[in-house]
Amino acid sequence: MKRCKKFVRNNKGVASIEFSLTIILFITLVLFVAEIARMAYISSVIDLAVSEAAKESKNASATDSGGYDSRFQARITEQGGAIWGFLTRPDAVTMNITYADSINDMINTGGTAGNSRYKPLARYYLEYKYSPMFFPFPEIWVDNLLNREVIFVQEYERSKFMD
């Protein structure tokens, strides 16, 4: 009984125990904030890259430098900046473009891949497969958060859209 009271009242080492419990929480919080900041950066870069790449791609002829697809993909890889290569993997990005004759066709089918000739509407789509660096998140939530798509009228095909 006397030993138990002595053990409970002994304060030696309390600071070490409190520090070890607090530092674990602090490091977890710092890594969580770093992961959220990384996700926010990737999301912002994807927004800018998709809009700029699609805008540049739609304003050129389909026959210039390999077509809309290759121009879109080349611009996406250039748009990320220096930090993009450090924070992402090259195989994490999937891109595609689908084309449609009319708004109804785009709504009903989402367009078709391949031939862009005489198809004035294009849907530029980018899917980013996120993998956490510091702190795991539910994949379904993050993957849906980092998908982007824009629909543009192709400048060199728009005469067909006006009919």
Side-chain angles (χ1 to χ4, degrees):
M1 180 78 158
K2 198 173 192 182
R3 271 190 157 183
C4 284
K5 282 185 179 181
K6 189 177 180 184
F7 180 73
V8 170
R9 279 195 242 143
N10 190 357
N11 290 336
K12 289 183 182 177
V14 170
S16 297
I17 292 171
E18 287 177 356
F19 176 77
S20 64
L21 293 175
T22 306
I23 196 71
I24 290 170
L25 231 86
F26 178 73
I27 289 173
T28 303
L29 182 65
V30 166
L31 292 178
F32 181 75
V33 168
E35 196 68 44
I36 293 292
R38 179 175 174 253
M39 279 178 31
Y41 177 76
I42 289 171
S43 178
S44 297
V45 168
I46 289 172
D47 284 340
L48 178 65
V50 167
S51 64
E52 290 294 318
K55 185 174 79 171
E56 183 179 312
S57 183
K58 78 166 182 88
N59 287 331
S61 173
T63 58
D64 292 348
S65 65
Y68 297 119
D69 289 326
S70 62
R71 203 171 24 262
F72 180 67
Q73 290 179 4
R75 182 70 174 162
I76 286 284
T77 55
E78 293 169 6
Q79 191 67 34
I83 300 176
W84 176 256
F86 172 71
L87 292 177
T88 62
R89 298 179 335 262
D91 62 336
V93 178
T94 305
M95 300 171 262
N96 70 356
I97 305 175
T98 56
Y99 306 97
D101 297 329
S102 66
I103 293 173
N104 286 335
D105 187 27
M106 185 62 78
I107 292 170
N108 295 332
T109 65
T112 57
N115 188 10
S116 63
R117 189 109 171 116
Y118 303 122
K119 296 193 178 180
L121 294 176
R123 176 182 162 256
Y124 295 85
Y125 180 77
L126 184 136
E127 180 179 339
Y128 183 82
K129 183 72 175 154
Y130 183 79
S131 67
M133 187 177 276
F134 304 115
F135 202 85
F137 287 104
E139 285 184 25
I140 236 162
W141 178 72
V142 175
D143 288 342
N144 289 334
L145 184 68
L146 298 174
N147 294 343
R148 299 293 187 272
E149 70 180 300
V150 292
I151 298 174
F152 277 111
V153 175
Q154 303 294 91
E155 293 297 321
Y156 281 85
E157 311 293 337
R158 76 175 166 188
S159 61
K160 292 293 178 186
F161 189 63
M162 302 298 187
D163 293 342

